Amino acid sequence: ILNVEQSPQSLHVQEGDSTNFTCSFPSSNFYALHWYRWETAKSPEALFVMTLNGDEKKKGRISATLNTKEGYSYLYIKGSQPEDSATYLCAGGGSQGNLIFGKGTKLSVKP
Amino acid sequence: DTEVTQTPKHLVMGMTNKKSLKCEQHMGHRAMYWYKQKAKKPPELMFVYSYEKLSINESVPSRFSPECPNSSLLNLHLHALQPEDSALYLCASSDRGNQPQHFGDGTRLSIL
């Protein structure tokens, strides 16, 4: 995967709101799609890795879906909390774990 | 605490110096990675090691020289760096290529 796009670039929501953002990637030669949570001054933290079309993964209030045929993945956060504030990175992965990261979606959750 | 340990946390060096960055993991992961991260930008892949062998070099200048002495250790040797090489250098590991990567806290490198 050569080009990974994320939208929106930033997002401001109120505590309790549910939100979602998008990761787009070329659908040809797909291998894996990774999601990471990145807080300022910390290293990225793995959320999900998805490989199959139609995959859905969930971790607490955060879930993700994958559509490899049309080349997109959605990340959903239900009932956002201030501690969810971070940048969410998606990355296209090759068979050797060679990741190409998108620029991220910066989420700010106001109390 | 991170399961991937990087040392040093900070490094300041001149353009003629030789230094090394170190990364260690004890999770039994067979793949290890070096990334470069500039301020407010996502990580950019530099090198991939798989089963202690270099499998991917993303056209990184030769002033960066990776080394994998054993399955738990990954080094990045630095020589004659340029000011634009100043960045956060992240190490990561994973069990296989399609598994989540575990990142260290990074080494913040400044080139004078």
Side-chain angles (χ1 to χ4, degrees), chain A residues 19-31:
Chain A
T19 187
N20 66 86
F21 19 94
T22 306
C23 174
S24 302
F25 51 88
S27 54
S28 59
N29 297 318
F30 173 83
Y31 186 79

Side-chain angles (χ1 to χ4, degrees), chain A residues 14-105:
Chain A
Q14 290 293 133
E15 182 176 356
D17 288 351
S18 293
T19 187
N20 66 86
F21 19 94
T22 306
C23 174
S24 302
F25 51 88
S27 54
S28 59
N29 297 318
F30 173 83
Y31 186 79
L33 194 286
H34 296 231
W35 281 101
Y36 290 84
R37 182 174 182 275
W38 176 35
E39 287 185 69
T40 303
K42 293 187 178 181
S43 53
E45 173 193 351
L47 290 173
F48 308 112
V49 179
M50 295 181 288
T51 56
L52 298 176
N53 185 46
D55 260 353
E56 291 188 26
K57 298 230 174 168
K58 187 175 181 181
K59 189 175 184 179
R61 293 178 291 100
I62 304 177
S63 60
T65 61
L66 178 67
N67 183 323
T68 61
K69 294 184 178 180
E70 296 182 39
Y72 65 82
S73 175
Y74 293 138
L75 189 79
Y76 300 91
I77 301 179
K78 184 178 179 182
S80 302
Q81 300 296 309
E83 57 264 31
D84 295 329
S85 297
T87 296
Y88 291 84
L89 296 170
C90 79
S95 60
Q96 299 180 75
N98 42 316
L99 299 184
I100 303 297
F101 282 91
K103 293 182 179 179
T105 292

Side-chain angles (χ1 to χ4, degrees), chain A residues 31-32 34 36 38 43-44 46 49 51 89 94-99 101-103, chain B residues 33 35 37 40-43 45 48 55-56 90 97-101 103-105:
Chain A
Y31 186 79
H34 296 231
Y36 290 84
W38 176 35
S43 53
V49 179
T51 56
L89 296 170
S95 60
Q96 299 180 75
N98 42 316
L99 299 184
F101 282 91
K103 293 182 179 179
Chain B
Y33 314 86
Y35 291 87
Q37 187 175 28
K40 299 184 180 180
K41 298 283 181 69
L45 183 67
V48 178
S55 60
I56 293 180
L90 290 167
N98 63 350
Q99 296 296 304
Q101 293 186 15
F103 285 82
D105 289 335

Side-chain angles (χ1 to χ4, degrees), chain B residues 26-108:
Chain B
H26 294 288
M27 294 176 281
H29 289 170
R30 290 303 189 176
M32 296 186 76
Y33 314 86
W34 279 116
Y35 291 87
K36 175 182 179 180
Q37 187 175 28
K38 296 287 244 183
K40 299 184 180 180
K41 298 283 181 69
E44 294 180 6
L45 183 67
M46 299 174 72
F47 302 104
V48 178
Y49 270 82
S50 179
Y51 289 88
E52 302 168 44
K53 294 193 185 313
L54 181 65
S55 60
I56 293 180
N57 175 341
E58 291 286 3
S59 303
V60 179
S62 60
R63 57 186 184 267
F64 295 91
S65 176
E67 178 198 17
C68 189
N70 60 56
S71 60
S72 300
L73 293 174
L74 187 65
N75 297 323
L76 187 62
H77 302 298
L78 314 172
H79 175 53
L81 295 194
Q82 303 298 309
E84 61 265 27
D85 296 323
S86 297
L88 181 69
Y89 288 83
L90 290 167
C91 173
S93 70
S94 68
D95 191 28
R96 291 187 301 279
N98 63 350
Q99 296 296 304
Q101 293 186 15
H102 296 250
F103 285 82
D105 289 335
T107 293
R108 188 159 298 283

